[in-house]
Amino acid sequence: MKNKKYLSLILCFLMVILVSMHEINASAKDKDADAKDNKYIDGFYEYPITIMSDDWFNYSVKEKVAMLIIDQETLNRMTDRQLVYAIADYPYLVDIYLYNSFEEGLTNFKKNCSAYCELMERLSGIESLKTYSEEIIESYKITPRLDGQTDFVANALNDIIEYYDEDNLRPSSGTRATVMTPNHTSVYVTTPSETHTTNYHTSLDNSVVSTYGVTKVRTGSCKYNCHSYAWYSISSNNPYWMPDPTAYTTDGSYTKKFTGTPSSSINTSGISVNDRVYYANKTHTAFFIDNPSSGAPLGTLLVKSKWGQAGVFEHAVSNVPAGYDDSTLTIWHR
């Protein structure tokens, strides 16, 4: 009887060893697979291109966004912790600040950042985002980021956490007001209160410059957006955030001179400096800072515009966040 008991114990012990060896081998195989496809460094996902890559500016924004998509098989293998670190490392994290509201920024971010999309689909997503974001922020106090964006990424992660804690839809909320088009049509605007310091906006603006290679003209502000800047007033004292500038294009205040795509070559007859470039679906407005070159592709022409909570920048028409819809572009003259 005792012999049978000892035999059973020995068999159980052997089973434990075999299971442990299987798990170790499986883990080793996963690490070998990760090393082979070069997607992981020290257990964390590494994007194939970053703002520190020598060829970062050799590709268009749309090309880079496509390159940064993580395939579903890889996403399925990633832990929540790995996903949060991939969110922090996503080169276009700055985009969350470049829309008409923080909520709109996160919506567009979810479309483009696979790690954020995957995490938000998991039941543990929001709690993991809070837990590991705090871990990342603490780690920056010991080891700053090599790309110089330590403060910006820490601020961004804090703002995302705050959004889920308070459902704060800034800066779309504010005191309602109206302004007038040149032909005296009322346009709805809001007057948001500034909630961030100059240092905060400087950090955000520096991230935009590093990510997009644009030229900064003015420090960011939560008070006015691209539509208000382009259609109403370019003054730094402009207090209005304008969700919809449609009235400027429908009441005769401006005349449409061109409709096309970024690859369209334009005839510049009747088109000049300060003419507005209006992006599809009311997603953005910019204006020419020089007389455009006749025959050049519209997407390459130089304009100036305000980017969400960030600053005013000089940039090529198509060198903008992916959510600014340049599929159809119109040019308006006054």
Side-chain angles (χ1 to χ4, degrees):
M1 193 70 179
K2 287 183 177 180
N3 289 338
K4 288 184 178 180
K5 184 177 180 180
Y6 290 142
L7 181 61
S8 296
L9 289 172
I10 292 170
L11 288 174
C12 288
F13 180 69
L14 289 173
M15 286 294 293
V16 170
I17 293 175
L18 288 173
V19 170
S20 298
M21 290 180 65
H22 175 75
E23 290 178 349
I24 291 171
N25 288 334
S27 177
K29 287 179 180 179
D30 285 343
K31 289 181 179 179
D32 288 343
D34 293 342
K36 185 176 180 181
D37 61 22
N38 198 31
K39 291 178 180 176
Y40 294 88
I41 297 295
D42 295 330
F44 294 101
Y45 185 83
E46 182 183 42
Y47 287 103
I49 189 170
T50 71
I51 63 173
M52 296 184 69
S53 301
D54 291 338
D55 57 349
W56 174 253
F57 292 114
N58 293 345
Y59 301 94
S60 70
V61 172
K62 288 184 175 62
E63 288 172 332
K64 284 179 283 193
V65 168
M67 294 167 67
L68 294 168
I69 293 173
I70 305 173
D71 64 272
Q72 191 58 51
E73 181 182 354
T74 300
L75 289 170
N76 292 340
R77 291 162 51 195
M78 293 173 72
T79 64
D80 286 8
R81 186 169 183 259
Q82 288 174 321
L83 290 173
V84 177
Y85 272 80
I87 292 168
D89 289 340
Y90 187 71
Y92 286 113
L93 178 62
V94 67
D95 284 14
I96 62 177
Y97 296 103
L98 307 181
Y99 293 86
N100 278 321
S101 70
F102 196 71
E103 181 183 40
E104 184 180 335
L106 282 177
T107 298
N108 278 279
F109 187 65
K110 187 176 181 181
K111 293 177 182 177
N112 297 321
C113 180
S114 307
Y116 180 72
C117 183
E118 173 68 21
L119 187 67
M120 291 299 99
E121 295 298 319
R122 298 183 182 181
L123 293 177
S124 57
I126 294 174
E127 288 307 313
S128 292
L129 179 66
K130 293 176 182 178
T131 299
Y132 297 120
S133 290
E134 291 168 359
E135 175 185 308
I136 292 169
I137 292 168
E138 284 301 310
S139 74
Y140 288 167
K141 296 177 182 178
I142 301 172
T143 308
R145 290 172 63 104
L146 294 176
D147 59 11
Q149 298 204 53
T150 298
D151 291 340
F152 165 72
V153 177
N155 287 336
L157 293 174
N158 271 324
D159 283 348
I160 296 173
I161 293 170
E162 181 184 335
Y163 171 81
Y164 284 108
D165 280 343
E166 301 180 5
D167 197 27
N168 185 9
L169 308 184
R170 58 184 184 281
S172 60
S173 59
T175 305
R176 185 185 178 98
T178 57
V179 297
M180 295 290 181
T181 69
N183 282 354
H184 306 291
T185 300
S186 296
V187 180
Y188 161 68
V189 294
T190 61
T191 54
S193 58
E194 180 62 74
T195 58
H196 296 306
T197 64
T198 299
N199 287 341
Y200 184 98
H201 283 294
T202 298
S203 175
L204 171 57
D205 293 344
N206 289 342
S207 181
V208 172
V209 171
S210 297
T211 304
Y212 286 92
V214 295
T215 301
K216 177 181 171 180
V217 176
R218 183 187 296 167
T219 300
S221 169
C222 290
K223 292 184 178 180
Y224 58 96
N225 64 340
C226 66
H227 300 316
S228 181
Y229 178 77
W231 300 100
Y232 174 68
S233 172
I234 64 171
S235 170
S236 59
N237 295 319
N238 178 355
Y240 299 124
W241 195 277
M242 183 183 295
D244 186 350
T246 300
Y248 287 87
T249 64
T250 57
D251 76 344
S253 293
Y254 288 79
T255 303
K256 184 163 62 174
K257 290 293 185 177
F258 182 84
T259 300
T261 67
S263 61
S264 300
S265 297
I266 66 171
N267 182 336
T268 58
S269 177
I271 299 174
S272 61
V273 63
N274 291 331
D275 282 356
R276 278 61 173 172
V277 180
Y278 193 29
Y279 293 61
N281 298 312
K282 310 171 189 176
T283 52
H284 194 56
T285 308
F287 60 84
F288 291 119
I289 57 176
D290 295 310
N291 286 318
S293 302
S294 186
L298 178 54
T300 66
L301 298 179
L302 194 62
V303 292
K304 178 165 44 174
S305 66
K306 172 80 162 52
W307 290 21
Q309 295 182 35
V312 176
F313 304 99
E314 293 180 1
H315 59 95
V317 169
S318 287
N319 187 23
V320 292
Y324 294 2
D325 187 356
D326 66 354
S327 59
T328 301
L329 298 160
T330 52
I331 299 175
W332 296 83
H333 176 78
R334 176 166 172 75

